[in-house]
Amino acid sequence: MLLSALCAVHCVTTIAVMALLASVGGALLHPAIHEVGLAFAVLLGIVALGAGYLRHGQRLPTAIGGIGLAIMALALTLPHGVPEAIATLSGVALLAYGHHLNRRAGC
């Protein structure tokens, strides 16, 4: 009986999750979602790098992270597609490296 109940819960849950994904999936692929998220990431990166610079005063992490932020901001101006993705990923990689250097400089 317990196994049958678990099976019923599994079936109902699967149907509900699939219906939710089908209706929300289109919204998650909308370019505006990516643009807003990227703009928020740029602002958050500026705050984090600025705080790191104020804490330890080293310019290299801030410069590398700043270049990454500039490339990410450039991605906001590009058409949605491969060029935007390349710019975003390149900028994010540089920003992550700047954060890594910031973390090491703070030790």
Side-chain angles (χ1 to χ4, degrees), residues 6-89:
L6 288 175
C7 180
V9 168
H10 168 74
C11 291
V12 170
T13 303
T14 301
I15 291 170
V17 168
M18 289 300 151
L20 180 65
L21 288 176
S23 56
V24 175
L28 293 176
L29 294 175
H30 195 277
I33 296 289
H34 297 117
E35 292 166 2
V36 170
L38 186 55
F40 182 69
V42 168
L43 292 174
L44 193 60
I46 290 170
V47 170
L49 283 174
Y53 179 75
L54 291 175
R55 188 175 317 117
H56 55 68
Q58 292 190 12
R59 292 185 186 136
L60 183 63
T62 306
I64 291 175
I67 292 169
L69 287 170
I71 294 171
M72 289 168 64
L74 170 72
L76 287 169
T77 67
L78 298 174
H80 191 63
V82 174
E84 177 200 24
I86 291 171
T88 299
L89 293 175

